[in-house]
Amino acid sequence: MSTKIVIDCDPGHDDAIAILLALASPELELIGVTTVAGNQTLDKTTRNALVTLEVAGRSDIPVAAGAAAPLRRELRTAAHVHGETGLDGPELPETSALPVEAHAADFLAELIEPGVVLVPTAPLTNLALMLERHPDVPDRLERIVWMGGSIAEGNVTPAAEFNAFVDPEAAAAVFASGIPITMIGLDVTHKAFFTRAHAERLRGAGRAGRFVAELSDFFQQFHERSYGFDGSPIHDAMAVAHVIDPSLVTTRHVNVAVEVRSELCDGRTVVDLRGVSGRAPNAEVGVDVDADRFLELLVSRLASLA
Ligand code: RIB
Ligand code: CA
């Protein structure tokens, strides 16, 4: 019995790889993709989601575009990481596929039924709008598994991770919603590096494998330049992998609150590991990962795509 999932994303190299991992995994059924502005502008993240599905021969999967900007803040993109297209590296195929008419916030509400797991790998603007427009959704949404946040260091500021930083108000609303949520943050994604050796295993493994290898070639440049890493953390794929095999990431049930009124720490996910705040636990937060098993799952599944 496979788990139905919806990915809300801002492709973005690691978002695209997360989509392909979901399509390559029999444990999951990807029933829809929604897009939001984040790594790049909404028009580009939406086109990139359609292109990624085209690469996998799965243009049958519906895509709905959502918010072009955060709830209350100016959009901040990441062209320095993902390039001007948002998927720099490979030659991007043309696709005649178009997004559905519905706004992502409404399409998510349409798709969510008991048993569906929502996997946002981007700023949480679409989910916050979904909660505003459809207050009944929490009653039927089993779990959110979000790639975002961090217990320790951020990656946009010393305090904040990108998906939380872009729209802190949206993140705060989702953590306050009462929906069961798992946070796959930088503390675990920065423990697993997709290396050139992994890319070489995929380069000759069909269209999707070559696409991922060429995405990795570009993505790697940022991580070498900025962190001195000998590989790239494929952040968003770890959120999908967690739905496939929850034993890969060790989590703790703790309180997470999001800073929205700070000059230095806006967007910080304040993770109360020791329960000192008195705030009730509201999330499962990733504290460790079996990096080798995650990477082997990722590469072997991607290699299985045609
Ligand atoms: O901080 C990493 C996250 O921000 C990833 O989801 C990446 O795609 C960007 O959206
Ligand atoms: Ca992302």
Side-chain angles (χ1 to χ4, degrees):
M1 184 72 174
S2 59
T3 300
K4 291 182 178 179
I5 70 166
V6 182
I7 295 177
D8 180 75
C9 56
D10 60 340
H13 290 64
D14 51 331
D15 303 75
I17 296 171
I19 290 169
L20 294 172
L21 174 61
L23 295 174
S25 300
E27 300 86 346
L28 305 179
E29 180 187 354
L30 181 60
I31 61 172
V33 174
T34 52
T35 57
V36 67
N39 284 322
Q40 261 298 353
T41 53
L42 180 65
D43 58 321
K44 292 180 180 178
T45 60
T46 303
R47 191 236 13 230
N48 292 341
L50 293 166
V51 160
T52 300
L53 292 169
E54 166 77 22
V55 165
R58 293 303 310 274
S59 293
D60 58 295
I61 294 175
V63 174
L71 294 179
R72 298 186 202 144
R73 295 174 188 243
E74 288 294 308
L75 174 62
R76 163 100 176 238
T77 58
H80 64 295
V81 182
H82 300 276
E84 276 314 304
T85 69
L87 285 183
D88 278 21
E91 184 178 335
L92 301 179
E94 292 299 319
T95 176
S96 56
L98 294 171
V100 300
E101 282 298 311
H103 186 285
D106 303 317
F107 194 58
L108 287 169
E110 271 180 55
L111 289 176
I112 289 166
E113 60 187 21
V116 171
V117 176
L118 179 49
V119 184
T121 61
L124 292 169
T125 316
N126 285 341
L127 274 72
L129 291 171
M130 172 191 73
L131 292 170
E132 285 175 15
R133 297 182 187 185
H134 305 279
D136 62 309
V137 166
D139 298 336
R140 51 191 162 89
L141 176 49
E142 171 161 332
R143 175 166 290 276
I144 293 169
V145 179
W146 177 51
M147 190 283 135
S150 60
I151 300 166
E153 189 185 2
N155 59 2
V156 180
T157 70
E161 177 278 330
F162 180 81
N163 289 339
F165 179 79
V166 167
D167 199 339
E169 285 77 13
V174 172
F175 277 99
S177 69
I179 298 169
I181 182 167
T182 299
M183 181 180 112
I184 304 292
L186 297 179
D187 318 275
V188 288
T189 65
H190 276 188
K191 288 186 174 180
F193 296 127
F194 186 95
T195 65
R196 286 189 173 76
H198 292 122
E200 290 321 307
R201 281 177 58 186
L202 292 174
R203 204 172 299 277
R207 186 183 186 196
R210 187 172 61 254
F211 184 68
V212 170
E214 292 172 357
L215 286 174
S216 166
D217 294 343
F218 181 86
F219 204 36
Q220 166 85 31
Q221 292 171 28
F222 168 75
H223 290 100
E224 269 175 2
R225 185 174 66 242
S226 302
Y227 289 92
F229 287 165
D230 179 26
S232 297
I234 312 298
H235 308 279
D236 298 334
M238 194 177 287
V240 169
H242 185 68
V243 185
I244 295 168
D245 180 354
S247 73
L248 291 171
V249 176
T250 304
T251 64
R252 294 263 311 274
H253 188 51
V254 294
N255 179 269
V256 179
V258 183
E259 180 59 75
V260 297
R261 284 184 301 277
S262 165
E263 183 185 340
L264 295 177
C265 296
D266 259 8
R268 180 156 187 71
T269 46
V270 179
V271 180
D272 185 3
L273 286 180
R274 294 187 297 113
V276 297
S277 68
R279 294 188 294 267
N282 62 344
E284 291 291 338
V285 175
V287 294
D288 201 2
V289 61
D290 184 333
D292 292 341
R293 273 205 307 131
F294 161 64
L295 289 163
E296 190 49 40
L297 172 78
L298 177 61
V299 174
S300 60
R301 292 292 167 86
L302 292 172
S304 74
L305 279 171

